[in-house]
Amino acid sequence: MESGAEELMPRLLPVGDCDLAEDFDPTVPPRTPQEYLKRVQIEAARCPDVVVAQIDPRKLKKKQTVNISLSGCQPAPEGYSPTLKWQQQQVANFSAVRQSLNKHRNHWRSQHLDSNVTMPKSEDEEGWKKFCLGERVYSDTDALSDNENLGIDYMKVGFPPLLSIVSRMNQATVTSVLEYLVSWFGEKKFTPELGRWLYALLACLEKPLLPEAHSLIRQLARRCSEVRVLEKNKNEEQISALNLIICLVSRYFDQRDLADEPS
């Protein structure tokens, strides 16, 4: 190897003069450390100083297009943009909920679940969707059963995010369930059942966020802004719930580019 190349790429394993057998053949597998290092030197010396890529110029004549999504949330409908004071109050309330949850997590985790509560495994996407949303919302049907008045059937209406339930969920499960619900929400309407679980899962997310959680909450905020704009009847309660999720993602979890501009 030329001395100029060695100055640019100093040897990490310098090899001094060593006694190699007269019949040393660099094409056969090395038998000693000295033969191995010598073989590496010989191969490096044979590499060209400059390598030129073979590019077909005809492929460069076509217009190259790269799509990068840098968009934030869509603005709230006129008259429904939350005030800065309201957003600050929601962040303060949410912070208090998180502190209380962390403080009493061990207590709630030790509480026995009702016999009818069977939490799905972390990887059971369909199971978690039905568990959180209920078969009625999951199946997109409003049909009522004949025994509706006999009591609440949580398999139909979904289990609420009770502290005794969410306290048993580790971060991997929290992130997985959040992913399942955000994916479902991407093609479905917003419901109170979904809103309650999204709020609870956000309260369980630990900071600093893992990359997958970071991506999920941004996706969630954007979807909330889309649904908010498409809301035909402008249901104030639903828009307020969507505003709340966007507020928490943007202002509590520091995704400020997604925040609503104060009205």
Side-chain angles (χ1 to χ4, degrees), residues 133-144:
L133 305 174
E135 294 179 353
R136 186 182 304 168
V137 172
Y138 179 77
S139 302
D140 197 19
T141 176
D142 293 327
L144 298 177

Side-chain angles (χ1 to χ4, degrees), residues 20-26 30-31 34-36 38-39 42:
L20 296 176
E22 294 181 359
D23 60 347
F24 170 68
D25 185 356
R31 295 167 296 181
Q34 290 79 7
E35 288 185 0
Y36 169 77
K38 189 64 177 179
R39 180 177 177 179
I42 293 173

Side-chain angles (χ1 to χ4, degrees), residues 4-76:
E6 289 189 2
E7 292 178 359
L8 294 176
M9 296 183 296
R11 297 177 179 177
L12 295 179
L13 295 173
V15 181
D17 296 334
C18 56
D19 296 331
L20 296 176
E22 294 181 359
D23 60 347
F24 170 68
D25 185 356
T27 62
V28 301
R31 295 167 296 181
T32 65
Q34 290 79 7
E35 288 185 0
Y36 169 77
L37 295 174
K38 189 64 177 179
R39 180 177 177 179
V40 171
Q41 283 186 324
I42 293 173
E43 291 177 351
R46 292 174 179 172
C47 293
D49 294 334
V50 178
V51 178
V52 179
Q54 300 299 320
I55 300 176
D56 186 352
R58 293 174 297 179
K59 295 182 179 180
L60 299 179
K61 292 181 180 180
K62 297 180 181 180
K63 185 177 180 180
Q64 304 293 312
T65 302
V66 179
N67 295 321
I68 302 177
S69 177
L70 298 176
S71 61
C73 287
Q74 298 185 32

Side-chain angles (χ1 to χ4, degrees), residues 77-78 80 189 225-236 238-239 242:
E78 185 175 355
Y80 290 91
K189 61 183 180 181
S225 72
E226 293 174 0
V227 174
R228 182 176 61 179
V229 171
L230 296 175
E231 174 67 28
K232 295 180 180 180
N233 299 325
K234 295 296 181 286
N235 183 308
E236 291 190 13
Q238 177 161 309
I239 290 182
L242 296 169

Side-chain angles (χ1 to χ4, degrees), residues 67-110:
N67 295 321
I68 302 177
S69 177
L70 298 176
S71 61
C73 287
Q74 298 185 32
E78 185 175 355
Y80 290 91
S81 181
T83 65
L84 179 58
K85 181 178 180 181
W86 182 88
Q87 294 183 66
Q88 291 173 337
Q89 184 61 52
Q90 302 311 313
V91 170
N93 294 343
F94 183 69
S95 179
V97 168
R98 285 172 60 90
Q99 292 177 11
S100 178
L101 177 60
N102 290 330
K103 181 178 180 181
H104 302 290
R105 184 182 300 275
N106 291 334
H107 166 74
W108 287 109
R109 186 182 296 168
S110 65

Side-chain angles (χ1 to χ4, degrees), residues 137-210:
V137 172
Y138 179 77
S139 302
D140 197 19
T141 176
D142 293 327
L144 298 177
S145 62
D146 295 336
N147 60 350
E148 188 72 19
N149 296 327
L150 298 180
I152 298 176
D153 186 346
Y154 286 110
M155 294 302 297
K156 287 185 170 59
V157 301
F159 289 91
L162 303 174
L163 289 173
S164 56
I165 293 177
V166 298
S167 294
R168 285 174 161 80
M169 300 169 65
N170 57 29
Q171 283 299 290
T173 302
V174 169
T175 304
S176 294
V177 177
L178 181 61
E179 180 181 2
Y180 303 151
L181 296 184
V182 170
S183 174
W184 186 89
F185 184 35
E187 300 178 354
K188 302 290 185 177
K189 61 183 180 181
F190 185 84
T191 67
E193 295 85 358
L194 176 64
R196 286 192 289 267
W197 269 98
L198 291 175
Y199 187 94
L201 293 171
L202 290 176
C204 293
L205 275 182
E206 295 179 357
K207 295 176 71 174
L209 295 175
L210 295 174

